[in-house]
Amino acid sequence: MASARENVSLLFKLYCLTVMTLVAAAYTIALRYTRTTDKELYFSTTAVCVTEVIKLLLSVGLLAKETGSLGRFKASLSENVLGSPKELMKLSVPSLVYAVQNNMAFLALSNLDAAVYQVTYQLKIPCTALCTVLMLNRTLSKLQWISVFMLCGGVTLVQWKPAQATKVVFLQVLEASTLLLWSSTQTTL
């Protein structure tokens, strides 16, 4: 029997990749614009907090839809959230780190060019690959390691002499290495 993952069409995968790319680019450009205008700045902590509250409400709404009834919804919440405080505490650590990361994104985009920020931000991929190998004892294929090193090389070139090179070339290297990494993870999953 074919798994659900095999039934997902290539067209849908490309659609998801395109949407995620556009959202990430639009987010960076909009955030950079709002942080560099001459108008009065908003508090970045408030923006991060409002974003997390919206995500919480959407998650609760999706859980309510998935459970189907109010009784099962309450049971699911009490069992998975209130019934396991140890797990809730474990989840609070990455949540706190994520909140700090989002606040630092506001600070970085207030001081960096959007292209430099976007390319440098991709350094989270090599860090994740390294943590996956060291902490989860997983192995990466040669293609995945080549993708990670290409990404690091692109970031290094951007930071080395950004005034002498065109941003288009670096963005092409970034896109190629990201697509290569994405396609190699899809074949190993």
Side-chain angles (χ1 to χ4, degrees), residues 69-97:
S69 71
L70 186 61
R72 285 188 281 187
F73 172 70
K74 286 181 181 179
S76 178
L77 273 181
S78 65
E79 177 186 338
N80 297 316
V81 178
L82 303 174
S84 52
K86 190 174 181 179
E87 294 298 316
L88 194 61
M89 289 302 292
K90 287 180 187 177
L91 286 175
S92 67
V93 173
S95 299
L96 181 63
V97 171

Side-chain angles (χ1 to χ4, degrees), residues 125-140:
I125 295 172
C127 293
T128 303
L130 192 61
C131 288
T132 299
V133 170
L134 296 177
M135 299 169 83
L136 300 177
N137 296 323
R138 289 190 59 193
T139 58
L140 297 179

Side-chain angles (χ1 to χ4, degrees), residues 3 78 148 159 168 187:
S3 68
S78 65
V148 168
Q159 297 302 325
V168 174
T187 58

